[in-house]
Amino acid sequence: MITFSRIDGTPVYYWRSSRGNTTLRNWQATQAFYDSLVLWIRDLRSLSSAYGSITYLVSAGFYVNKPGQHGAGTAMDLDHVRWSGGQISSPLDRDHASGTLATRRRYLAVDAVCRRRFRYALDGWYNADHADHIHSDFGGLPVRCVTSSESDTKFVQALCNNFLNSGLAVDGDWGSLTQSAFNTAKSRLGTTGDPHTSSAAWQSFLSAAARKGFANQAF
Amino acid sequence: MLGAAATAALTSALPTHAAGAAPASADTSDIFGKNAGVFLAPGGTPLLLAHQDGQWVLIAEDGSVRITEGLAGADLVDVTGNGTTLTAVGALNGDPIATIWESTDGVTWREARRLHGVRSEFTAVGDGLALGSVVKHERAPVVRIAARRTGSGWNTVPVRGLEWTDGLSATAVAATGDGWIAAAVDISGTVLHTSRDGVTWTVRPRLDGVAVRGLTLVDGRVHWVGNEMVDATPLTGVLDADRTRPAVPQDAKALGVAGTRSGWLTGGRLITVEAAR
């Protein structure tokens, strides 16, 4: 386990006990997970570069002494992202359920970037326990889109609803309507390859979706 | 589509250790890949049950190691012992199947109960009560499960009053003298419940900012051990009273309780201290 206060130079704050607190904290994670966090934030910086640099992140935890990935030091709970241009994305404020489409799209863009590096990303659509943060962990790697995964399916359904106006039920069941909407999304995002079997194809899809999300553009 | 430069930036691989900001410090507390915690072995010795080099081993405070038998394929999460009967819980590897193992010496284990037909795991055990969850594909808990040890073995029992914590993993359970107390960790701390019969549970005041890993009754008071949520500072406390910093190193990770002693992993070794201190 290693201790860190910043990810690749970007400070990570804790707001669960005091919102707005900018005291640097001593987070812990395994070296391998920290390395993936560096890749993740570099993805996020690149795909959201129009917003400027990332000023800070807010997390609810990395290593936490409890069963599962947090207890292994291989998980992150993301609460908030702030860019130098003034933009924010705030899972803590349940942005996935915002009444503003641009806010939901930005949340989905951050969500997509998490999924580029972490196979299990649990978001506000997944269940009530993740309504106020996005959980990402080392389980199930390599990354790909698995139709039997409730997390992946709900993400794709929410994505298609917010960018394609697909009108899907976000129920986690990958049926014909979800497949059809996903096919349309893949085509419009220029995805080649099979995101269900190819990590590269899934990552390409997620990058393209994230760029649309940060730009608040339908596809 | 991404431009070539952006694509290159996104797909660039890092060396073994990220080239970004250097971590503030490193330690060796993850020398054991995973562990089930501490228990009191026959004879009164606290032992750590840990996974090392592909097998479950017993590790004493003096560093001596003994290989166990009967735990192949086990993904253990918690262990308890009263000096005569030892119980470990977790799941079988793969698609997880909640399973309970028992032993009389800590070395040789036998499977005592397995829950067939549902993806599940037990995550806490104490004083004849095991708590766990049915879990999703991503291992997120969905529904609480419980099993009680009776004269005929381990039997599943219904639980009431814990439904609002179905999405949380139980982290500790212990007898209180007139029932049980159970802990589960959420996004910002620990939720506690007590029960007289192990079936109907009543919520207790939560412990914010701490992840409780062990509970024990000492001199009529419930003591807990754990780590702070953010920086993992070691913490102990008494139910409905103050919390304190135990006399263990800053990097120590709580492993639970063994009798009246709390176990901690620090610097790659087991240490124990009186839980009531």
Side-chain angles (χ1 to χ4, degrees):
Chain A
M1 212 81 77
I2 57 108
T3 301
F4 62 95
S5 297
R6 305 168 187 268
I7 299 174
D8 199 30
T10 300
V12 187
Y13 301 134
Y14 181 72
W15 284 4
R16 292 281 170 163
S17 56
S18 176
R19 185 165 180 125
N21 189 306
T22 54
T23 303
L24 287 175
R25 308 298 295 257
N26 290 321
W27 306 98
Q28 296 186 23
T30 66
Q31 181 69 61
F33 191 75
Y34 178 83
D35 290 349
S36 287
L37 292 173
V38 172
L39 295 174
W40 166 78
I41 200 169
R42 290 178 182 179
D43 288 354
L44 188 59
R45 287 175 184 144
S46 176
L47 290 163
S48 65
S49 59
Y51 291 178
S53 60
I54 298 174
T55 310
Y56 60 80
L57 303 170
V58 180
S59 174
F62 295 86
Y63 166 80
V64 178
N65 194 345
K66 63 180 181 179
Q69 296 280 339
H70 279 291
T74 54
M76 168 180 70
D77 286 337
L78 180 65
D79 274 356
H80 193 94
V81 184
R82 165 86 183 200
W83 286 267
S84 61
Q87 296 88 347
I88 62 170
S89 182
S90 187
L92 179 62
D93 294 313
R94 301 166 189 254
D95 275 3
H96 74 288
S98 168
T100 303
L101 179 61
T103 301
R104 298 197 303 274
R105 285 178 172 172
R106 189 177 296 160
Y107 177 100
L108 282 161
V110 173
D111 197 340
V113 178
C114 292
R115 291 168 192 275
R116 277 185 49 84
R117 297 295 175 184
F118 304 107
R119 167 76 184 81
Y120 292 159
L122 311 181
D123 60 21
W125 287 280
Y126 182 70
N127 64 13
D129 291 293
H130 296 88
D132 64 355
H133 64 282
I134 298 175
H135 167 101
S136 302
D137 71 41
F138 256 0
L141 290 169
V143 296
R144 61 199 188 285
C145 180
V146 177
T147 59
S148 62
S149 160
E150 183 176 333
S151 170
D152 291 350
T153 302
K154 285 184 171 177
F155 168 75
V156 166
Q157 291 168 334
L159 194 76
C160 291
N161 285 349
N162 282 282
F163 289 90
L164 298 170
N165 199 25
S166 298
L168 299 170
V170 183
D171 57 8
D173 292 328
W174 191 288
S176 58
L177 294 177
T178 300
Q179 183 63 56
S180 176
F182 186 55
N183 289 342
T184 301
K186 282 191 300 179
S187 175
R188 292 185 184 176
L189 292 174
T191 304
T192 57
D194 182 1
H196 302 307
T197 58
S198 163
S199 293
W202 180 230
Q203 287 178 313
S204 172
F205 175 89
L206 293 167
S207 292
R211 287 167 64 89
K212 291 290 188 181
F214 289 124
N216 187 25
Q217 294 175 345
F219 53 81
Chain B
M1 294 293 288
L2 293 177
T7 303
L10 292 176
T11 56
S12 63
L14 289 173
T16 302
H17 295 297
S25 65
D27 68 35
T28 56
S29 61
D30 55 350
I31 189 169
F32 309 117
K34 54 186 172 183
N35 68 75
V38 291
F39 66 96
L40 200 61
T45 304
L47 294 174
L48 169 64
L49 181 56
H51 200 249
Q52 192 175 37
D53 298 329
Q55 53 197 350
W56 289 96
V57 299
L58 301 173
I59 302 170
E61 284 188 86
D62 64 5
S64 61
V65 177
R66 189 162 182 190
I67 298 170
T68 67
E69 299 174 359
L71 292 174
D75 185 3
L76 302 180
V77 181
D78 198 14
V79 63
T80 188
N82 59 13
T84 55
T85 303
L86 313 173
T87 308
V89 300
L92 293 172
N93 284 329
D95 254 6
I97 301 170
T99 305
I100 299 170
W101 292 262
E102 289 184 334
S103 173
T104 56
D105 61 6
V107 177
T108 303
W109 295 80
R110 68 171 186 85
E111 189 178 309
R113 181 67 201 267
R114 181 192 304 196
L115 300 188
H116 290 282
V118 62
R119 187 192 302 261
S120 57
E121 62 180 348
F122 286 114
T123 57
V125 63
D127 297 293
L129 179 64
L131 296 175
S133 302
V134 174
V135 297
K136 294 187 182 185
H137 175 90
E138 297 85 3
R139 295 293 284 261
V142 183
V143 175
R144 178 77 56 222
I145 57 175
R148 284 275 302 277
R149 181 74 161 92
T150 66
S152 61
W154 288 90
N155 298 296
T156 56
V157 294
V159 285
R160 290 189 291 270
L162 295 176
E163 294 84 356
W164 72 281
T165 68
D166 277 348
L168 308 177
S169 295
T171 58
V173 60
T176 60
D178 61 352
W180 286 271
I181 183 167
V185 175
D186 67 9
I187 191 71
S188 58
T190 298
V191 295
L192 296 166
H193 290 79
T194 53
S195 173
R196 288 185 178 276
D197 59 7
V199 175
T200 302
W201 294 81
T202 302
V203 66
R204 300 283 308 228
R206 57 179 292 124
L207 288 168
D208 278 322
V210 61
V212 168
R213 174 68 190 265
L215 295 159
T216 189
L217 187 69
V218 179
D219 297 332
R221 301 206 299 173
V222 175
H223 292 255
W224 56 262
V225 300
N227 290 89
E228 199 269 344
M229 295 287 287
V230 177
D231 61 12
T233 299
L235 291 172
T236 62
V238 177
L239 193 63
D240 301 328
D242 290 340
R243 61 187 67 180
T244 58
R245 274 289 318 274
V248 297
Q250 173 73 22
D251 71 342
K253 305 295 189 296
L255 295 165
V257 291
T260 61
R261 299 185 71 80
S262 59
W264 304 85
L265 186 62
T266 175
R269 65 187 183 90
L270 168 69
I271 63 171
T272 68
V273 298
E274 284 297 323
R277 291 175 57 193

